[in-house]
Amino acid sequence: MSALANLAGLFPPHAEEIWHEDIAWQPIPVHTMPLKLDYVLHGSSNCPRYSAAFEKYQNESPEVLRILKENRENILYWSKMCGSNLTTIDEIAELYLVLIVQMQHNKILPDWVQKAIEPNGTMESIASFRYKMRTNTKELARLQSGFLIKEMFEHFAQKINSTLEPNRSVWFYSAHDHTISNLMNSFGLFEPHVPPFASSVHLELYKVGEKEHYIQIFYRKSGEEILLPLNIPNCGEKCSLDQLYKLYNDIIPDRDHDTECRLPK
């Protein structure tokens, strides 16, 4: 639905494309695949190695254990008030998001909820950390976002070498807040927060002269109009594709999805 809404805004019909005077819309295809097969946008789907690595991270990460320990009293209180036993950062974050959506829809919320979801509060901080968790090790980043990064870099390489078929100027991926935070965190660019609705990450390829190219990355939080390029760690605001391959070599898969996701014997 988000993809369709974006395309309707980007490509309104003109002249002979207008088929109804009251509906400024034309059909544009959105290509999808079953979730279990979509390892580009949902890298952890059907990936036993990722599931095992993430479970180990949740159970053993000093940062995760510290957050749960330091906020034990709050977590017990929230559990009592919402009627659900909250034991993981994922569960706390899901509660936070549900409450935030209810607030945004002007639902009448009890006092404990208003206090719990106040800006820069404890629950928001825990929910924000959740968006780092899924890619917070090299192995997790490789299995979760690596195939998306690999595909984007391959498109850039093909564009530079004039071998891209079809020869598109823009590729759109439509997914979720986790897709954005996972990608940003894998690049080392994510500051913990809950990505707002309609956020987007932009990777742009620029050509300078005949043979020189560079890439910039931008992050748009919902309604921002003026974007500044992000400072890519150990590279800067303008990076060649070769530089990016070297920087992120350890999180770009060099085998097929099934092989990468196979549990080690």
Side-chain angles (χ1 to χ4, degrees), residues 1 36 43 48 51 54 57 59-60 79 97 121 123 143 147 157-158 172 176 182 186 189 192 201 219 231 259:
M1 290 171 65
K36 289 184 178 180
S51 299
F54 185 60
Y57 175 80
N59 294 334
E60 299 179 9
S79 296
L97 294 175
M123 190 181 286
L143 298 171
F147 287 98
Q158 292 164 356
F172 295 101
H176 292 277
N182 291 336
S186 297
L189 297 171
V201 178
Y219 174 46
N231 186 32
T259 304

Side-chain angles (χ1 to χ4, degrees), residues 10-61:
L10 285 167
F11 303 106
H14 298 285
E16 71 276 3
E17 297 167 343
I18 298 174
W19 58 277
H20 193 293
E21 61 180 13
D22 295 325
I23 303 176
W25 173 84
Q26 60 180 322
I28 299 173
V30 174
H31 302 277
T32 65
M33 62 175 60
L35 188 63
K36 289 184 178 180
L37 301 177
D38 190 2
Y39 56 84
V40 172
L41 290 181
H42 197 270
S44 60
S45 180
N46 198 25
C47 187
R49 182 180 161 203
Y50 179 87
S51 299
F54 185 60
E55 183 176 1
K56 177 181 173 65
Y57 175 80
Q58 286 192 104
N59 294 334
E60 299 179 9
S61 164

